[in-house]
Amino acid sequence: MKKLTFALAAITLAAAAQAYPDKPITIVVPFAAGGPTDKVARDFAEAVRKHLNNGTIVIENVGGAGGTLGANKVAKAAPDGYTLLLHHIGMATSPSLYRNLPFKTLEDFEYLGMINDVPMTLIGRPTLPANTYPELVKWLNDNKGKINLANAGLGAASHLCGLLFQQGVKIDMTTVPYKGTAPAMTDLLGGQVDIMCDQTTNTSGQIESGKVKAYAVTTSKRLTSPALAKLPTLDESGLKGFNLTIWHGLYAPKGTPKAIQDQLNAALQKALKDPEFIKRQEALGAVVVTDGRLAPAEHKKFVAAEIDKLGVAIKAAGQYAD
């Protein structure tokens, strides 16, 4: 009887995988609509749906707690392939930032593959007197105790970048957290805060239009996109070894059938070769992943290494949340 039960279960799973997807797939973005991760998710959804029977993909924004609310929702969702998570580097920072994380990053998800790498840019309000990075450093030193550094909230990519930048220049700043990138950018444009470090997916347009001051990029090499090519790296500007790239990956709840995982990974790899998707990512300064991290096992191995690396910097800063 047990053998028959197992056989029927296997047939049921196989049939489900063959029919997958037969209803809309929800991709949870653990941040507000209009932010950099949301932009990546919507472009990715349009590209990947073509390789999932042209099915419907719904983006659900579940912001709050640095991305942990949305991630936890997916961790607790039914493992049927219809609720997925598209998350950034917060998957690797949350284990160190949150004392009471409601999920286990390396145990509660199936890793489906990396999507892109996104550089970050150090930018300032349009009325900031400094026009170059050396001028910015001088201004920061002349205004110690009066500098407002914006971010999109604890655990956001901009929070991590700002944390590392403060450590690098050895200048304490007043951190101003917002509930998302959009309101942080609004106040930067309005002059309510002084500087911010954020993803190119959110800053390229503002830099190209001249609405913000741009000082440097966070990658080890200069970028090639027209709007950012003239910006120096923080490494060449004096912060030796500074190299921060924000990556995005796709995840499913633990226990999602292997056949569905394989189907999603195959669709992901095809989507990342879509010329229109590549073009859109390049316009935002992002680089589509083409290396071994496309494979689920390498994706998970990479995140595990990032947890270890970034945890050192976070713990050194002593910034935690419940």
Side-chain angles (χ1 to χ4, degrees):
M1 181 62 71
K2 287 185 178 180
K3 289 184 178 180
L4 178 59
T5 300
F6 289 144
L8 288 173
I11 292 171
T12 300
L13 286 175
Q18 283 183 339
Y20 178 83
D22 61 1
K23 62 181 181 179
I25 296 171
T26 296
I27 295 181
V28 173
V29 174
F31 302 102
T37 300
D38 182 67
K39 293 176 184 177
V40 172
R42 292 178 188 277
D43 285 347
F44 175 74
E46 181 58 32
V48 79
R49 63 177 293 274
K50 302 172 187 176
H51 307 291
L52 291 169
N53 302 326
N54 283 316
T56 299
I57 296 181
V58 177
I59 301 297
E60 181 181 359
N61 298 94
V62 183
T68 62
L69 293 183
N72 188 49
K73 178 172 183 174
V74 176
K76 304 298 190 292
D80 56 9
Y82 289 99
T83 304
L84 308 176
L85 172 70
L86 194 151
H87 203 349
H88 65 22
I89 199 171
M91 283 292 277
T93 58
S94 56
S96 297
L97 280 171
Y98 293 89
R99 293 189 179 94
N100 299 306
L101 196 64
F103 55 84
K104 295 181 179 179
T105 305
L106 296 175
E107 297 177 23
D108 292 345
F109 299 93
E110 303 293 355
Y111 286 63
L112 301 174
M114 297 283 290
I115 295 171
N116 68 6
D117 290 309
V118 186
M120 302 193 80
T121 49
L122 182 64
I123 58 176
R125 56 180 165 86
T127 55
L128 201 68
N131 293 308
T132 65
Y133 181 77
E135 291 177 2
L136 175 65
V137 173
K138 182 179 185 305
W139 185 85
L140 292 174
N141 278 291
D142 291 345
N143 289 274
K144 289 180 178 179
K146 299 184 289 184
I147 306 158
N148 292 321
L149 171 66
N151 66 52
L154 183 68
S158 52
H159 170 239
L160 175 63
C161 188
L163 185 67
L164 295 176
F165 179 65
Q166 288 183 81
Q167 291 177 1
V169 295
K170 296 179 173 60
I171 298 174
D172 289 330
M173 306 173 197
T174 300
T175 300
V176 184
Y178 289 82
K179 292 182 179 180
T181 297
M185 180 64 78
T186 296
D187 274 10
L188 185 76
L189 293 171
Q192 282 76 39
V193 289
D194 299 312
I195 60 173
M196 181 167 68
C197 185
D198 205 359
Q199 301 174 60
T200 57
T201 45
N202 191 55
T203 63
S204 293
Q206 306 290 0
I207 293 171
E208 190 170 13
S209 63
K211 292 181 179 179
V212 296
K213 298 284 183 74
Y215 299 107
V217 295
T218 64
T219 47
S220 59
K221 296 180 181 180
R222 291 197 182 201
L223 305 180
T224 58
S225 61
L228 307 170
K230 293 182 180 180
L231 292 180
T233 68
L234 284 172
D235 178 84
E236 71 180 88
S237 299
L239 294 185
K240 295 301 180 184
F242 197 106
N243 182 16
L244 179 63
T245 299
I246 304 304
W247 39 264
H248 291 88
L250 190 67
Y251 309 83
K254 187 70 175 181
T256 299
K258 182 64 164 58
I260 290 179
Q261 291 182 52
D262 291 345
Q263 192 172 342
L264 285 166
N265 176 258
L268 178 147
Q269 295 204 37
K270 291 175 182 176
L272 300 195
K273 295 177 182 178
D274 185 311
E276 184 60 28
F277 179 72
I278 294 171
K279 181 180 177 181
R280 289 185 179 186
Q281 294 303 291
E282 288 178 342
L284 295 171
V287 179
V288 174
V289 170
T290 58
D291 56 42
R293 294 173 299 163
L294 289 173
E298 289 301 311
H299 177 194
K300 187 173 184 177
K301 181 179 178 181
F302 173 77
V303 173
E306 289 281 274
I307 289 172
D308 292 339
K309 181 182 75 173
L310 297 171
V312 173
I314 293 168
K315 289 172 184 176
Q319 296 195 12
Y320 304 99
D322 293 332

